């Protein structure tokens, strides 16, 4: 846990040094014991059955990966406040509002996600966590067989299918 914390803090320090479109990057390491959703208020019309975070909100606003949770703002102003940095938002639309997955370059080094969006062929960008040795053998099983959405665990794939692709009853 200490190594993971150290790596997270080191990445935050590194990312803070690299402005996007001349704007400061704000990063914060979050201890795995605290909830990233603690200060989020969900609208009353979203179904919330036995879950602290409504599944539909997760589907619309997050990309859950093996070692990260990416959260984006949606276009609905009754749900999310307006975007502060329109230039960055325009760049992120290339990947549905999220940073792209971590990608290894030909030289074995990991690429800057902003540069990936700007300069790489979007068709050749690998899936989320495709580079992780822990998911390499099970990657296809960790993707929804209907829409190909990736999740880091089989239980999340099953929950996604249950909520997003319920079987039609005759």
């Amino acid at each position: 846990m200490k190594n993971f914390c150290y790596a997270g803090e080191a990445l935050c320090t590194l990312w803070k040094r690299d402005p996007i479109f001349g704007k400061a990057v704000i990063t914060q390491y979050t201890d795995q014991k605290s909830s990233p959703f603690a200060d989020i208020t969900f609208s009353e019309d979203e179904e919330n059955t036995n879950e602290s975070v409504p599944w539909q909100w997760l589907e619309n606003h997050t990309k859950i990966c093996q070692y990260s949770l990416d959260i984006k703002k949606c276009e609905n102003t009754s749900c999310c406040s307006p975007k502060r940095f329109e230039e960055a938002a325009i760049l992120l639309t290339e990947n549905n509002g999220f940073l792209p997955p971590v990608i290894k370059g030909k030289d074995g080094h990991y690429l800057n996600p902003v540069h990936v969006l700007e300069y790489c062929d979007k068709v050749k960008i690998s899936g989320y966590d495709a580079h992780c040795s822990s998911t390499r053998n099970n990657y296809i099983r960790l993707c929804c067989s209907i829409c190909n959405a990736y999740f880091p665990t089989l239980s999340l794939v099953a929950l996604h299918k249950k909520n997003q692709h319920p079987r039609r009853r005759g």
Side-chain angles (χ1 to χ4, degrees):
M1 288 307 296
K2 287 180 184 178
N3 284 343
F4 190 75
C5 178
Y6 177 78
E9 289 171 349
L11 285 171
C12 286
T13 302
L14 179 69
W15 290 331
K16 284 179 187 178
R17 291 188 219 152
D18 196 8
I20 299 175
F21 295 110
K23 308 285 187 191
V25 174
I26 301 168
T27 62
Q28 174 185 350
Y29 173 74
T30 303
D31 187 326
Q32 48 89 11
K33 294 177 184 168
S34 63
S35 170
F37 304 106
D39 357 339
I40 297 174
T41 305
F42 302 102
S43 65
E44 293 175 17
D45 59 331
E46 293 199 46
E47 280 185 41
N48 196 0
T49 57
N50 300 332
E51 299 171 63
S52 58
V53 180
W55 182 260
Q56 193 58 49
W57 189 92
L58 287 172
E59 287 279 348
N60 293 338
H61 295 85
T62 67
K63 203 52 99 172
I64 304 170
C65 300
Q66 192 79 14
Y67 300 105
S68 70
L69 170 66
D70 297 342
I71 303 174
K72 74 171 184 175
K73 289 184 178 185
C74 70
E75 300 299 324
N76 182 352
T77 55
S78 67
C79 176
C80 294
S81 60
K83 296 174 180 149
R84 288 189 245 163
F85 303 112
E86 197 57 39
E87 298 93 352
I90 290 167
L91 179 66
L92 293 176
T93 59
E94 295 283 326
N95 194 43
N96 194 23
F98 295 102
L99 284 171
V102 174
I103 297 173
K104 258 189 192 178
K106 292 180 182 176
D107 62 357
H109 290 89
Y110 292 99
L111 304 177
N112 178 317
V114 174
H115 294 157
V116 168
L117 283 177
E118 287 182 310
Y119 305 116
C120 291
D121 181 355
K122 308 305 181 279
V123 176
K124 294 181 181 178
I125 294 177
S126 60
Y128 286 89
D129 290 346
H131 70 282
C132 293
S133 58
S134 60
T135 60
R136 200 168 290 139
N137 295 332
N138 291 318
Y139 192 79
I140 292 173
R141 290 181 50 207
L142 294 171
C143 293
C144 174
S145 58
I146 299 165
C147 68
N148 208 32
Y150 167 78
F151 295 91
T153 66
L154 291 174
S155 61
L156 286 174
V157 174
L159 191 57
H160 162 80
K161 284 182 177 180
K162 175 184 166 194
N163 286 283
Q164 295 302 108
H165 311 294
R167 294 183 186 202
R168 294 188 178 127
R169 297 182 187 203

